[in-house]
Amino acid sequence: MGLIDNFGRVASLYMEEKEQLQKAEEKRKRTRTGHGFWPHEVLRDSIIFASMISILLFYAWLIPPPLHGAADPYAQAGFVFPDWYVLFSYGYLRWGEYLPQFVVPTGFVGEIVGQPMFPWNAAWWGAALTGIPVGILALPPFLGGREKRPVEDPWFAAAGAVYLAHIWFISVFLHQHLP
Amino acid sequence: MTTMFWVLWFFIVFLVLLVAFTLRKENEEMPRRDILRAVESTGKMGVAERSFLWVFSWLDTRFRLQDYWNMSKGAYYNMHRQMPLTHAEKYKLRIIWYWYPLYCLGGISFLSFIILVITGTVLGIYYVPGGEGDPSPAYASMQYIMTELPFGYILRAVHHWTTHFMVASVFLHMCRVYFTGAYRNPRELNWLIGVALMALTIVFGYSGYLLPWDSLAYGAAIIGINLANSSPLVGKYIATLLFSGSELTPLTVTRMYFIHVFILPVIVTTLIIIHLFIVWVQGIAEPH
Ligand code: HEM
């Protein structure tokens, strides 16, 4: 018997065992009670969706969508304020103006792409700092141990709260307090 | 020209007839009517069941559904039994109002996306990105939509406000997933797809913000292109990719339009389908 055949034997044994377990599990689940999708969840979701759409239409009716003067490259840079969901990035950019700025030589690679000196300026501070909260979002699934609820796992819940507070700080508080 | 026209039409008619005659073979070998009668005689059937049966057998005589039917029946009953069960069914919940409404946020994100696709499609008919290298048609068509086009104003208003709804609900959905701990094993992949969706939703909003090409859009474009340009070594290339140049040019609007109405919709739609498919297969995380 070759190795492949052995693998095949192991796999079918595994499947047999698994099927037996699943059959037992199924039997247990068949005897369920509780609210069904129809009508309870459907009713609840319809109510929520309908309220959402009515709030939406109310806003659409109440507040005109903005359309300012046409873009003019020669005009004095006017009042600029991005939409609220990119304010965090804008906040890092504004913050970057107060952080140290320097010039980094890029050496050999820089010569090739035609940028021998890299200016580490406010814009790059902004772009790089924006990457941090976005990057952090990818981490949670790989940090935890066993499944826990927030109340059993206050450190994780607290970290989430700190994250939210930071986003709030950078996108609202900061803009209120920068000149 | 006219010859081509007729040749084309004859070809199309030929194809249609070919397909029609190929599909017409139903009565000869397959006693469809007998089967239908036999099924109908087994018990009382409502209008819905009857129509379904008719369509199903119609398709079966043409595409031999019986093979796929057995296959999909196997898949349906073998994938975790939980698949068609809802959250409330699976965990025997008696309370559906408590804080489980927060579990609607994913659905609200989805609904917002659908509304955006519909209103955006209609807006796209009237919006002109100004492909000739002149961005002023963008602004002019925006004014047209706002002041002259029947229902244009409300259409844009709905599109605009739904954007805000979608960003907010995606963010809150993420918070609910985080604070219920639903991102853990086995849902890591879905969380990562979600992170991509969150980022892409924001990029969606940003690229749409530039399209009217009014003064605020211009300001936002300057900030954006500065950020893109500032990256070490590759800055110029990133800016060219996203803004079609390392400085704002009239082509920037066209580039943003293409990103906003083609590239992002394709990616985001695909990711949402995968995301929802995974939720469907894995079920929703145990409530706490
Ligand atoms: C376009 C954006 C999104 C759409 C349309 C969407 C849709 C959905 C829907 C309908 C569900 C079912 C449960 C529920 O509604 O709460 C769900 C679950 C889930 N979503 Fe999203 N979602 C989006 C973005 C995100 C984001 C930004 C994240 C996180 C970074 C995320 C992570 C998850 C996870 C981990 C689940 C499984 C939760 C559980 O099993 O309890 N999704 N999503």
Side-chain angles (χ1 to χ4, degrees):
Chain A
M1 284 242 288
L3 189 61
I4 301 282
D5 292 309
N6 274 335
F7 283 167
R9 204 167 39 79
V10 172
S12 42
L13 273 178
Y14 170 84
M15 285 304 164
E16 268 165 37
E17 290 297 324
K18 183 171 178 185
E19 256 157 43
Q20 276 185 2
L21 279 178
Q22 277 178 339
K23 278 216 184 84
E25 177 68 7
E26 229 169 85
K27 223 183 213 162
R28 195 179 66 76
K29 274 190 185 148
R30 287 276 165 75
T31 53
R32 67 191 134 83
T33 54
H35 289 297
F37 181 63
W38 178 267
H40 294 91
E41 286 216 336
V42 170
L43 181 67
R44 182 196 72 181
D45 292 0
S46 318
I47 292 173
I48 291 176
F49 287 178
S51 346
M52 172 207 149
I53 291 180
S54 55
I55 295 171
L56 185 68
L57 291 179
F58 179 68
Y59 271 107
W61 167 75
L62 188 70
I63 313 175
L67 184 64
H68 304 271
D72 179 5
Y74 306 108
Q76 270 255 308
F79 170 75
V80 176
F81 212 61
D83 261 350
W84 55 270
Y85 47 83
V86 281
L87 273 185
F88 75 102
S89 183
Y90 190 52
Y92 287 126
L93 180 67
R94 297 288 318 277
W95 188 21
E97 290 165 13
Y98 297 87
L99 292 173
Q101 325 233 324
F102 30 88
V103 172
V104 188
T106 48
F108 167 64
V109 186
E111 294 291 346
I112 295 176
V113 298
Q115 194 197 29
M117 288 292 171
F118 162 60
W120 189 306
N121 54 17
W124 174 243
W125 272 121
L129 290 174
T130 299
I132 295 177
V134 177
I136 284 179
L137 283 185
L139 296 181
F142 308 104
L143 297 178
R146 65 177 184 84
E147 287 209 28
K148 281 179 253 176
R149 307 184 266 156
V151 280
E152 292 170 348
D153 199 352
W155 292 112
F156 258 72
V162 169
Y163 183 90
L164 292 182
H166 174 74
I167 294 292
W168 175 262
F169 173 83
I170 218 71
S171 43
V172 179
F173 188 78
L174 191 77
H175 291 290
Q176 288 170 345
H177 289 266
L178 281 182
Chain B
M1 199 57 224
T2 35
T3 343
M4 277 311 289
F5 179 79
W6 287 112
V7 169
L8 195 63
W9 269 108
F10 277 122
F11 184 60
I12 290 173
V13 169
F14 172 71
L15 281 188
V16 168
L17 289 179
L18 193 71
V19 171
F21 276 97
T22 319
L23 291 182
R24 246 191 91 244
K25 293 249 174 209
E26 73 170 281
N27 289 336
E28 284 159 24
E29 306 136 42
M30 211 90 65
R32 178 172 165 223
R33 269 162 230 294
D34 297 345
I35 303 179
L36 280 188
R37 220 167 288 135
V39 176
E40 277 171 6
S41 67
T42 55
K44 229 178 67 172
M45 283 208 287
V47 182
E49 285 89 348
R50 252 167 220 281
S51 327
F52 172 76
L53 176 64
W54 194 89
V55 172
F56 189 73
S57 64
W58 192 89
L59 288 173
D60 180 56
T61 48
R62 281 153 187 83
F63 302 107
R64 213 182 135 81
L65 285 192
Q66 71 198 75
D67 305 342
Y68 312 105
W69 173 245
N70 287 333
M71 221 165 67
S72 49
K73 217 167 69 172
Y76 181 84
Y77 286 109
N78 277 332
M79 252 192 231
H80 321 202
R81 264 278 58 222
Q82 58 172 239
M83 202 157 74
L85 296 190
T86 71
H87 189 231
E89 281 174 333
K90 203 161 41 170
Y91 301 108
K92 307 184 180 152
L93 299 180
R94 299 238 158 254
I95 314 154
I96 51 173
W97 274 110
Y98 181 40
W99 52 276
Y100 295 114
L102 291 184
Y103 283 61
C104 272
L105 285 165
I108 289 182
S109 315
F110 186 62
L111 185 66
S112 311
F113 185 68
I114 300 293
I115 297 177
L116 283 170
V117 168
I118 294 171
T119 53
T121 307
V122 185
L123 282 173
I125 297 173
Y126 298 98
Y127 173 80
V128 182
E132 304 283 285
D134 171 16
S136 59
Y139 187 75
S141 65
M142 221 61 206
Q143 279 181 321
Y144 171 77
I145 290 172
M146 294 286 284
T147 55
E148 287 172 48
L149 180 69
F151 298 104
Y153 174 94
I154 196 71
L155 201 66
R156 176 162 181 244
V158 171
H159 194 75
H160 182 90
W161 290 109
T162 310
T163 306
H164 294 266
F165 262 70
M166 177 158 174
V167 180
S169 64
V170 170
F171 186 76
L172 293 174
H173 169 61
M174 189 176 75
C175 294
R176 119 57 196 138
V177 170
Y178 182 83
F179 287 109
T180 52
Y183 53 83
R184 288 172 201 264
N185 182 344
R187 296 185 175 78
E188 299 97 328
L189 181 62
N190 226 12
W191 172 268
L192 291 183
I193 292 175
V195 172
L197 280 171
M198 178 81 249
L200 289 172
T201 308
I202 290 177
V203 179
F204 236 132
Y206 177 77
S207 58
Y209 192 80
L210 298 195
L211 292 185
W213 210 238
D214 58 1
S215 52
L216 279 198
Y218 192 77
I222 288 182
I223 298 178
I225 202 169
N226 283 344
L227 285 183
N229 266 325
S230 75
S231 332
L233 301 180
V234 289
K236 223 171 29 186
Y237 304 104
I238 296 180
T240 309
L241 190 69
L242 297 178
F243 295 88
S244 84
S246 55
E247 269 170 42
L248 292 185
T249 68
L251 280 176
T252 303
V253 182
T254 318
R255 179 61 55 93
M256 276 299 149
Y257 183 65
F258 187 66
I259 292 175
H260 188 78
V261 304
F262 183 75
I263 296 182
L264 285 176
V266 168
I267 299 177
V268 170
T269 307
T270 313
L271 285 181
I272 288 182
I273 290 172
I274 299 175
H275 190 75
L276 296 186
F277 180 77
I278 293 179
V279 172
W280 187 44
V281 169
Q282 294 187 323
I284 291 172
E286 202 150 339
H288 298 293

